[in-house]
Amino acid sequence: MLIRLFLLLMLMTGAGSACLAQLTASDIRQLHNAARYTGSEEDLLKILGKNIRYPAAAQRADKMGMAVFVLKISKGGRIVETGTLNKSHAEFKEAIGRAADMTKGKWAASNDTAQFFYAVIPVLFDIYGSGYTMHTTKVPDYFQVTVVVTAVGVPNAMNGLYERQESDYVTRANNLARMERHTEAIQALEELVNLQPLHTAYYEPLITLHEKIGNATEAEYYRLVRNLFAQEEK
């Protein structure tokens, strides 16, 4: 069960956070311009499923999460940029990126009106027995099918791992906000968004904290991502 997040937000002045969003607000507004995969969906899933490996370092550290991976495609079908809607762990992004490279030359524009097109590929990294489930499986219809990558954990040792991680991040975010350590609180919230990028409630305090410290660009970025999924919850 997801834990309700009661974040104590306090007024403050100070320096902005160094955190940067993976894509731009302009990209988020254009995600509906979906790139077309020229092969079959089965072919795409086979490529990704066979070649995305759970990073060994992430497994040793019990890291889990969903990376909402994005390929930015030119009119000519070339992959010009990659990123994630949420920040995600670097190991996960690298693992997906290596597999996504194998789809080069297989993307095409879906119309002749946009400059860029996007392929959004949610990839869930889970450790068997952790109890990790997504808040919702409902995503915009232009997203690709979610790919699930599961690592084998030590039998019985993983029980309740996900719930403990989520609870720890919630507690950390609350305590840091209470101490007005807002940049660190943002980092804890971003870990929650890494675990549950489709759970819109986690974006609310993240947006507010960025606004409090003057990070208008970051606040707008996360507002757009939240709205993207909030439309699907209606």
Side-chain angles (χ1 to χ4, degrees), residues 23-37 69-75 78-83 85 107-111 114-121 142-144:
L23 301 172
T24 67
S26 176
D27 289 323
I28 304 304
R29 294 187 182 98
Q30 299 300 316
L31 285 182
H32 61 278
N33 289 321
R36 180 174 58 84
Y37 188 70
F69 199 74
V70 181
L71 300 175
K72 187 174 181 178
I73 314 293
S74 70
K75 281 185 177 181
R78 185 171 60 91
I79 299 174
V80 297
E81 192 176 351
T82 63
L85 287 184
W107 297 99
S110 55
N111 60 62
Q115 181 179 5
F116 295 108
F117 300 83
Y118 300 84
V120 185
I121 307 169
Y142 52 84
F143 279 27
Q144 302 292 328

Side-chain angles (χ1 to χ4, degrees), residues 169-234:
Y169 286 130
V170 167
T171 300
R172 188 183 309 175
N174 283 331
N175 290 340
L176 289 168
R178 186 179 296 109
M179 292 184 288
E180 299 190 20
R181 292 162 59 180
H182 290 68
T183 298
E184 293 170 86
I186 285 172
Q187 293 170 352
L189 286 165
E190 286 173 343
E191 290 295 345
L192 284 168
V193 170
N194 285 341
L195 283 172
Q196 294 288 349
L198 311 182
H199 185 37
T200 56
Y202 285 156
Y203 290 90
E204 301 298 338
L206 186 55
I207 292 166
T208 303
L209 279 177
H210 275 300
E211 289 176 335
K212 292 291 185 184
I213 63 176
N215 280 347
T217 300
E218 287 284 270
E220 175 62 11
Y221 177 88
Y222 284 116
R223 185 177 291 108
L224 289 168
V225 176
R226 178 203 61 192
N227 293 345
L228 186 72
F229 296 123
Q231 292 174 4
E232 300 304 312
E233 291 182 338
K234 294 178 181 177

Side-chain angles (χ1 to χ4, degrees), residues 34-42 44-45 48 66 68-71 107 118-123 137 139-147:
R36 180 174 58 84
Y37 188 70
T38 57
S40 67
E41 183 179 88
E42 181 181 2
L44 177 60
L45 290 176
L48 298 176
M66 175 182 272
V68 186
F69 199 74
V70 181
L71 300 175
W107 297 99
Y118 300 84
V120 185
I121 307 169
V123 182
T137 57
V139 297
D141 58 10
Y142 52 84
F143 279 27
Q144 302 292 328
V145 175
T146 299
V147 178

